[in-house]
Amino acid sequence: MAASRYRRFLRLCEEWPVEETKQQRDLGSFLRQKVAQAFREGENTPIPDPEACDQMYESLVRIHTNFYKNKYPRLKDTTFTGVTVEDCRTILATDILRQMEDRKKGTWKRLREKFSAKKPEDDLK
């Protein structure tokens, strides 16, 4: 029975998309890592709680197939602020978040980092 569970999880991992814009924060990548950890021995991995395993799989399938999004459709595709889904994806991209982190730094910290970094030209003198 463990073999069929393992194959179901592998199939789910194959179907789950990986978002390149969310480096180290992508649910698809996280899922792949957790499945690899949980099934270290592949099909021969003993499963201590088969019910919990099946329940986890069904929950992930519902997320992957947008079960609740389809069951409870929204009237508008925006939030209360008027931000669209595409805007949210853009804002949550890793590159944008890095830029925002750089902006959060104070002026003094940015100046200190700028001038404390050793320049390659200084090593030649």
Side-chain angles (χ1 to χ4, degrees):
M1 210 50 193
S4 65
R5 285 185 177 91
Y6 175 66
R7 281 187 235 119
R8 288 188 335 182
F9 273 100
L10 281 183
R11 194 174 330 112
L12 181 64
C13 287
E14 289 173 3
E15 293 174 4
W16 205 290
V18 175
E19 288 191 48
E20 298 297 327
T21 60
K22 294 182 181 177
Q23 300 161 353
Q24 299 176 349
R25 298 178 299 115
D26 179 47
L27 185 58
S29 300
F30 180 78
L31 176 65
R32 286 170 179 77
Q33 290 173 354
K34 287 298 183 180
V35 168
Q37 288 174 356
F39 293 97
R40 286 190 183 108
E41 299 173 25
E43 294 181 353
N44 299 326
T45 304
I47 298 174
D49 190 1
E51 271 186 34
C53 182
D54 292 340
Q55 193 174 28
M56 180 66 70
Y57 175 77
E58 293 301 325
S59 296
L60 289 170
V61 167
R62 283 193 298 270
I63 292 170
H64 177 63
T65 60
N66 292 323
F67 176 80
Y68 292 105
K69 179 183 176 187
N70 297 332
K71 185 175 180 180
Y72 305 106
R74 297 179 60 163
L75 299 177
K76 297 180 181 180
D77 287 336
T78 61
T79 62
F80 72 96
T81 60
V83 178
T84 64
V85 173
E86 191 57 40
D87 292 340
C88 287
R89 282 194 182 120
T90 303
I91 291 168
L92 292 174
T94 303
D95 298 336
I96 301 296
L97 289 176
R98 282 190 194 132
Q99 289 175 5
M100 290 172 69
E101 284 296 318
D102 289 342
R103 286 186 181 174
K104 283 183 183 177
K105 292 179 184 175
T107 306
W108 180 249
K109 190 170 184 176
R110 274 186 276 159
L111 284 172
R112 193 171 40 176
E113 286 177 357
K114 182 177 180 181
F115 291 113
S116 69
K118 219 176 184 183
K119 296 180 183 176
E121 298 89 27
D122 294 343
D123 290 336
L124 297 174
K125 292 181 181 178

